[in-house]
Amino acid sequence: DRLSGGPDAASGAGVHRTDVSLYAQSLVPAGGRPLRLRLNLTYSWSDSAAVSGASAYGTPAAFHGRAHPRAAAAADAAFELSLSPRWVLALDVLYQHDDGFLVVGNVAGPGGATLPLRIDAGPGASWTLAPALECNFSASVGVIVGIKLTAAGRDAPVERVPAAALNLFF
C-alpha cells in the first residue's frame, strides 16, 4: 500500500492469512546411518484488504480499491542423512501453488475522470530444491550452509539464494 519504489519494493500480501498445516517426521535407519524424514503440508486462505496507491498487487499510484488474495498450498519434503556424529547432508524439496488474486477498484484518469481497474492474476506454482551441509561442533553449536534453488514454476522466476545459519542450543 502506497509504495514509493514500485511493486518490486513490496513483500507480503498485506492481508490477514490463516494457515492450516500438518507436520510429520520419522527417523529411519539408512545403511547404518540415521535418516530423518519430514513432510510439511500447508493450506492457506486470506482476508481481503483495502489498497490505496502503488502496491504489491501491481496497482498504480492513483489507485483505490480492494485486493482479494486467493487460496494457496505448499508441500515440503525434507531429508537429513547423518554421515557421522558431526556431519549431516540435508535436502528440502518444496512445491508451492497459489490461486492468484483479484484486485478491483478505481484509478484517477485524465481530466479527473475515474476509471475502473480490475487485475485478475491467475494461479502460479514453483518447485524449489534446497541442498545443504550441516556441521555440529558440539551438542549445542552447529553450522548449516546451503543454497535455495527455485528450479521451475509457472510465473515464478529462477532464483539462487545462498544460505548459512549458526545454530545455538541452550
Side-chain angles (χ1 to χ4, degrees), residues 37-52:
L37 305 172
R38 284 191 338 255
L39 179 63
N40 302 338
L41 303 173
T42 302
Y43 181 80
S44 306
W45 64 94
S46 302
D47 294 338
S48 65
V51 176
S52 294

Side-chain angles (χ1 to χ4, degrees), residues 21-126:
S21 299
L22 173 67
Y23 299 108
Q25 72 175 340
S26 181
L27 189 62
V28 297
R33 300 279 180 206
L35 173 64
R36 185 170 84 142
L37 305 172
R38 284 191 338 255
L39 179 63
N40 302 338
L41 303 173
T42 302
Y43 181 80
S44 306
W45 64 94
S46 302
D47 294 338
S48 65
V51 176
S52 294
S55 71
Y57 297 100
T59 55
F63 178 80
H64 294 285
R66 290 199 73 78
H68 306 273
R70 297 183 181 122
D76 182 5
F79 311 88
E80 296 177 4
L81 178 63
S82 178
L83 302 175
S84 73
R86 286 188 176 217
W87 294 95
V88 177
L89 284 177
L91 174 66
D92 277 51
V93 180
L94 175 66
Y95 174 74
Q96 295 179 294
H97 174 86
D98 71 78
D99 289 333
F101 60 85
L102 173 65
V103 176
V104 179
N106 297 304
V107 64
T114 301
L115 304 171
L117 178 64
R118 177 184 171 95
I119 302 171
D120 193 347
S126 67

Side-chain angles (χ1 to χ4, degrees), residues 96 126-129 147-153 156-162:
Q96 295 179 294
S126 67
W127 284 95
T128 299
L129 300 174
I147 187 164
K148 177 182 169 188
L149 305 164
T150 300
V158 172
E159 294 179 329
R160 292 173 198 86
V161 180

